[in-house]
Amino acid sequence: MWAYILGLGFQTAPSSVLHADSPLISLGDFLGAPAAAIIIGFSACLCFFSAGLGSLNALARVGLTLGKEGLMPPIMTVIHPRYRTPVGALTVGMGGVMLITIILITLGLPPLQINDVCGTFGTLALLLVYGLVALSLLPYLYRLGELNRKYLLLGGGTALLLLMVTTIFLSSLGKGAVLDAVRLFFGLLMVGIGLIAWQQRPQRPQA
């Protein structure tokens, strides 16, 4: 219901409401229902909080794995002695997130643009991970001798669908900080590929 109201409200609201620092509050004032804007804003905060917990959970799992593989510092493998949680990866991940946020604020980006930049980066990361999972399914099942037409269509079709979604997503992006986030993402991707290639290089036998 609120999504429907928001859609109608933003269609009728002037552009000044859309570009305000707090568009929900501005929309509520424009519609003459400031209490509704507060309720929607509070609900959005809860959604962001739950999404943040999910992202940190995934970040901790990835960081712990990279630490075990030797691609990240040993601190990433530290486990809490009581709760058995990857406290090392969580601490480093939270520190990185806070540092990036502080840098973006220092650069003068408004909160909504910071959300767009980080959301773009996170969307690309999500598409990349799902694409790698879909592609890795095929050689994994092949080694097990269980690769058949159904799994071939499932893995290949999912990879093609993700490639199409990624292409559409990238083509819809504008210029500015969001485009810089895309460049940064692919730059870090190349660095990661280089680190993996360096780690897996053949070792020379010691004399």
Side-chain angles (χ1 to χ4, degrees), residues 201-207:
R201 73 189 189 283
Q203 302 290 335
R204 294 182 180 179
Q206 298 181 355

Side-chain angles (χ1 to χ4, degrees), residues 70-99:
L71 295 173
M72 296 291 285
I75 189 177
M76 303 293 286
T77 62
V78 175
I79 303 296
H80 194 281
R82 179 179 178 182
Y83 299 109
R84 310 306 298 169
T85 53
V87 64
L90 279 172
T91 302
V92 175
M94 277 293 297
V97 170
M98 293 176 64
L99 179 61

Side-chain angles (χ1 to χ4, degrees), residues 100-124:
I100 292 172
T101 304
I102 292 174
I103 292 175
L104 293 176
I105 292 176
T106 305
L107 292 175
L109 271 70
L112 287 178
Q113 193 170 6
I114 293 177
N115 179 69
D116 291 340
V117 170
C118 297
T120 299
F121 195 94
T123 300
L124 289 173

